[in-house]
Amino acid sequence: MLAKTQWRSTLSKIYLPIVIVGFAALWFSPAIVSIVTAICGILFLVQAKNLLSESYKSLLYPVLVILLLAVLDLIFHSSASIVLDKWLLILGFSFLFLSGTYFQLISNKNLITVFLILCFIVLVINILSVSNYFIHKEYYDQMLLQSKSIPITSEMHHIHFGIINAIALLGLGSLLVLGKVKSSLQVFTVLAFIVIFFCFHILSSRTGLLAFYAAVFVSIITYAICSGKRKVIYIGTAAIPLMLVSAYFFSSSFQNKVLNSIEDVQSWGNPEKINYKSMAMRIEAYKVGWQVILQNPIGVGADAMNQSIQKTYESNKSVLYKENRKDPHNQFLEFGVKYGWIGILALLFFFYQLLILTKQSWFPVLGLVTLLFVAMQFESLLERQASIYTIGLFMPLFIVLFSKNETNGTTLT
């Protein structure tokens, strides 16, 4: 028994620094991220049978269902390279998520430090990216009015970076509210939260902002009800619009996003104006996605997804220019197009299992579930390496870090 415990401890000591390296590599080396993902897969396979005896084993089932759909797609469309790519992404997500669930569960005493290290990486990228924004402020502000984005100091897409920022803010704020940070680290935690919060409103896409504030709203309600502090609901819900109004007046970047959104909404229903309007084009893409699902209830497969969507645009005589005829950018719709209704149900099953686990956790876990659910309505988070790695790392981290089970040793005072 002692040897088994020591073996598990040794593997967890390998896991933690490896995933930190992988997270840092998201901004400069996809190859390193892939290598780290493979190592996590090996570590998980070594200890896979032990996950079935842990309290979070229910997470295994929805992940395996999603993986099975990708495997079946690979079997029936094995000649298509895009199917292999999608299968590898889902396989990587499975390895990251399940290895994270297992090894973070047995490494809980170090998790706050790990989370703060991850936030430090996010903080550095924010500072570099915002510095670049201020150097070219006038240019980027004009680009925001045209639905363009402020580039991140890396090759990472701004939507995914916004979601990473939102997760970091949710975690940092929750650590402070729950008093889980050592006094020696409180100053860093507060400063990191303030700087990332400031940068977030400058750099983030509307998807990241919407997902974050939805998560904050749910977290406030949950915290107030569970703690019996009903006044928090009034204070918290009043603080949200106050923060948004403040961001509007103090950040020209945020202001231009709002103005662009208003112009976007005004184009809805006007076929002559919806081209190059981000939200309006997405609505058209959603309609096409649903149409393909209704016509193909068992899905068309990853390889035929784009072809089926473009064919539907053509048959509908879409007013969108060909260059604007995008995929839905909605994870549920994309799973539906690829795998049919069972793909949508598999993703809903995944979120259902996460919701069940929130009963064992504090409000931040429900907040993160809300954040990811909202974000997936506007972006396909399981289709890119950056977001797959982020979810696979942070979801298990939140589940263990904010568990109500005090025996987990997650409270550091």
Side-chain angles (χ1 to χ4, degrees), residues 90-136:
I90 296 298
L91 181 64
F93 171 71
S94 303
F95 282 157
L96 288 165
F97 191 89
L98 296 175
S99 64
T101 300
Y102 178 75
F103 288 109
Q104 291 178 31
L105 184 65
I106 62 176
S107 310
N108 47 72
K109 292 183 179 179
N110 302 312
L111 291 187
I112 291 179
T113 301
V114 169
F115 180 76
L116 293 179
I117 292 173
L118 298 175
C119 288
F120 176 75
I121 296 170
V122 175
L123 178 65
V124 171
I125 301 298
N126 271 292
I127 292 173
L128 293 174
S129 300
V130 167
S131 297
N132 179 61
Y133 160 74
F134 279 116
I135 293 173
H136 308 285

Side-chain angles (χ1 to χ4, degrees), residues 204-215:
S204 180
S205 66
R206 290 169 293 191
T207 297
L209 289 164
L210 180 61
F212 172 70
Y213 280 103

